[in-house]
Amino acid sequence: MKFVENINEDEYTKFVITHPYSHFLKSYEWGELSKSKGLIPHYVGLKEKEKLVATALILEKKLPLGYSYYYIPRGYTIDYNNYELLKNFTFKIKEYAKKNKAIFFKIDPDIKLHTIDKNANVVNDGNNNYELVNYLKKIGFHRKKLNLYFENMQPRFTFRLDTTKDIDIIRKNYSKSVIRWIKVANKFGVEVKEAEKNEIKEFIRLMKITEKRQGFFSHEYGFYPKLYDLFSKIDAISLLIAYVNIDNILKVIDNDLKVCEDTKKREKLELQREHFSKLSTDSKMVAVSSYINIHYGNKSWYLYGANDLNYKDTYANYKLFDFQIKLSHDFGKEIFDEFGTIGDPNSSKPVAGLHEFKKKFGAEYTEFIGEFTYILNPFLYFVFTKLVVLYRKPMKFIRIIKVKLQNIK
């Protein structure tokens, strides 16, 4: 077998996008997008009789003195059941990384560790991939301590929905509260749609609101148009937006007030009316919730989301979430991935709210096998791991400052 470098875009994409272990984080487009974050993409693979049998998107991060480290998002595109091929490709990447002065490379395969229930307990008679985990260790990988939150490069837990089923069957698995809130959104006349690129300004506006509220900073705002441009070239991205008309909302509330005789309900309706009256705007339609989806291979992902909580009583975000699931179904995708949750469903941390929101849509709670590191230079790896802790503290402070500065603009 022959190790190949600099695979051309067409050959690389044709292999990755049709592979059973396809993932948008392995795509040529994600590699090109990563350049905007200071990373260098390498598109490498293994050929047998001039035919690709494995590929990897390697993202290189430069370090001082000519050193670097490699990250292979969601692992290789390879048949993980073929252990001989897996070992061969790993050793070829090891040689390639050493030649280029990488001190380590890491993978986090998009492979389920085992079946878990809604409380993250292992289902004893479910499927598992413990043998693969042990084999990765056997050929030289070090498995990082299993995390429950978002400490690693990618989420280790997610919710995944089988979108091959009839959409009515999918919706029957929503929680009763989701079904009720979607009805409320319909009552308030929430409109959802797949938007055009020029409407990405609304997504960014909503993202600024969300970041200010939650105190985090995801990306420079120029990142999102770049993402859209790259993935739209292969028709693999959807910008989704939910709009409301405040005048219509006020009419609905007024009609409810006319027939409402319950004192507590009237008080709530009057507070709602007062609240929405203050939000009155010259614009007839107001964007209140927006998501970005990626569609690649046999899956769709809910990648980024932003909401204006001034309009939370319209439940627009629930209707929009349902819309993206239907879109994945209509596109013929097999899996809709909600792209990340926590591994502790009983957590009291703020991020637990995200978990509660996502689980209401009836998807399978999924735990991946984790992050694996192949150490090539033990001394420099030790130094790196110590320095990165010192580096992250000021960087966290800088991110907080960025949020504040971005929201002043």
Side-chain angles (χ1 to χ4, degrees):
M1 289 189 185
K2 179 184 176 184
F3 184 77
V4 289
E5 306 172 22
N6 303 315
I7 304 170
N8 72 65
E9 181 177 353
D10 289 343
E11 184 180 19
Y12 181 88
T13 299
K14 185 178 179 181
F15 179 80
V16 175
I17 204 167
T18 58
H19 198 277
Y21 288 101
S22 175
H23 198 291
F24 82 93
L25 288 175
K26 303 177 183 183
S27 69
Y28 194 93
E29 290 70 26
W30 191 258
E32 295 303 293
L33 182 65
S34 297
K35 291 178 181 178
S36 66
K37 295 191 269 184
L39 302 173
I40 302 169
H42 300 247
Y43 307 95
V44 303
L46 206 59
K47 282 189 174 182
E48 184 175 28
K49 297 178 181 179
E50 297 305 311
K51 183 179 179 181
L52 282 171
V53 292
T55 61
L57 166 61
I58 298 174
L59 299 178
E60 178 184 6
K61 177 65 175 178
K62 288 291 188 182
L63 299 172
L65 303 176
Y67 290 99
S68 65
Y69 70 81
Y70 285 174
Y71 170 51
I72 303 171
R74 286 312 187 198
Y76 316 141
T77 306
I78 195 171
D79 178 2
Y80 281 93
N81 296 310
N82 187 335
Y83 286 179
E84 191 61 32
L85 180 63
L86 182 58
K87 179 176 74 173
N88 193 342
F89 194 37
T90 296
F91 290 170
K92 291 292 185 183
I93 289 179
K94 175 184 174 182
E95 292 172 11
Y96 181 73
K98 269 191 167 183
K99 181 180 72 174
N100 293 305
K101 295 184 71 174
I103 61 176
F104 67 89
F105 63 92
K106 66 170 62 180
I107 63 173
D108 46 12
D110 180 22
I111 294 175
K112 186 161 69 172
L113 176 59
H114 43 218
T115 304
I116 56 176
D117 63 20
K118 65 179 181 179
N119 295 311
N121 298 312
V122 179
V123 177
N124 292 326
D125 58 350
N127 298 323
N128 71 70
N129 282 295
Y130 302 151
E131 186 180 315
L132 173 61
V133 169
N134 291 331
Y135 188 75
L136 289 170
K137 292 178 183 177
K138 182 179 178 181
I139 61 176
F141 280 103
H142 296 260
R143 191 189 196 191
K144 190 172 182 179
K145 183 180 178 181
L146 295 180
N147 61 302
L148 296 178
Y149 294 91
F150 296 97
E151 304 93 333
N152 288 357
M153 301 294 284
Q154 302 299 334
R156 203 173 71 80
F157 292 84
T158 192
F159 286 104
R160 282 189 155 173
L161 189 62
D162 178 359
T163 45
T164 63
K165 297 176 182 177
D166 185 84
I167 191 64
D168 291 334
I169 293 174
I170 292 172
R171 285 170 169 161
K172 281 181 180 178
N173 286 319
Y174 292 176
S175 72
K176 290 181 180 178
S177 57
V178 167
I179 294 169
R180 182 171 66 252
W181 291 331
I182 290 173
K183 288 179 180 177
V184 172
N186 289 331
K187 180 181 177 180
F188 279 124
V190 174
E191 295 183 15
V192 295
K193 72 171 190 173
E194 189 173 2
E196 301 296 328
K197 184 194 171 181
N198 65 338
E199 293 173 271
I200 205 163
K201 63 182 184 294
E202 294 292 353
F203 171 85
I204 292 171
R205 179 182 65 81
L206 291 166
M207 181 57 79
K208 288 180 180 180
I209 292 171
T210 302
E211 289 176 343
K212 185 176 182 179
R213 181 179 73 245
Q214 297 184 350
F216 75 91
F217 181 69
S218 296
H219 299 286
E220 300 291 343
Y221 297 124
F223 171 87
Y224 301 107
K226 288 177 185 175
L227 169 74
Y228 190 93
D229 286 341
L230 282 164
F231 281 92
S232 63
K233 288 178 182 178
I234 58 169
D235 197 26
I237 189 166
S238 294
L239 170 64
L240 311 178
I241 302 183
Y243 287 92
V244 299
N245 182 314
I246 295 176
D247 288 342
N248 288 345
I249 292 172
L250 291 173
K251 286 178 183 177
V252 169
I253 295 172
D254 286 341
N255 288 334
D256 285 349
L257 280 167
K258 288 176 183 177
V259 297
C260 182
E261 297 179 354
D262 183 278
T263 303
K264 287 185 177 180
K265 286 182 179 180
R266 283 192 66 85
E267 288 176 356
K268 182 179 178 181
L269 286 167
E270 285 166 355
L271 286 172
Q272 274 189 333
R273 197 187 195 294
E274 181 182 359
H275 173 75
F276 283 113
S277 294
K278 291 177 181 177
L279 297 175
S280 186
T281 173
D282 292 335
S283 176
K284 187 169 184 179
M285 301 300 291
V286 181
V288 299
S289 183
S290 184
Y291 300 151
I292 291 178
N293 287 180
I294 297 291
H295 317 285
Y296 193 87
N298 67 337
K299 304 178 187 72
S300 290
W301 288 263
Y302 160 54
L303 191 53
Y304 301 113
N307 302 286
D308 186 344
L309 290 191
N310 279 317
Y311 300 87
K312 63 183 176 65
D313 285 355
T314 68
Y315 297 101
N317 55 328
Y318 285 88
K319 184 171 180 178
L320 194 62
F321 209 92
D322 168 70
F323 180 67
Q324 66 180 343
I325 290 171
K326 185 177 185 302
L327 203 64
S328 174
H329 172 272
D330 291 348
F331 285 168
K333 301 302 178 182
E334 297 174 10
I335 293 170
F336 175 74
D337 190 320
E338 298 179 19
F339 204 61
T341 189
I342 59 176
D344 178 9
N346 300 311
S347 173
S348 58
K349 294 185 178 183
V351 74
L354 177 69
H355 179 86
E356 288 301 309
F357 172 78
K358 290 182 174 181
K359 81 173 187 179
K360 292 178 186 295
F361 290 86
E364 180 189 3
Y365 196 12
T366 303
E367 179 180 2
F368 295 123
I369 63 174
E371 192 171 281
F372 296 77
T373 304
Y374 206 111
I375 301 170
L376 304 170
N377 188 320
F379 173 72
L380 288 179
Y381 178 76
F382 173 79
V383 172
F384 172 83
T385 54
K386 296 301 178 185
L387 289 177
V388 78
V389 173
L390 297 175
Y391 171 78
R392 280 176 177 168
K393 288 182 179 179
M395 286 306 296
K396 184 177 180 180
F397 175 74
I398 290 170
R399 283 196 295 272
I400 293 171
I401 296 299
K402 275 187 175 181
V403 173
K404 292 180 178 178
L405 290 175
Q406 289 281 1
N407 284 291
I408 288 172
K409 294 178 181 179

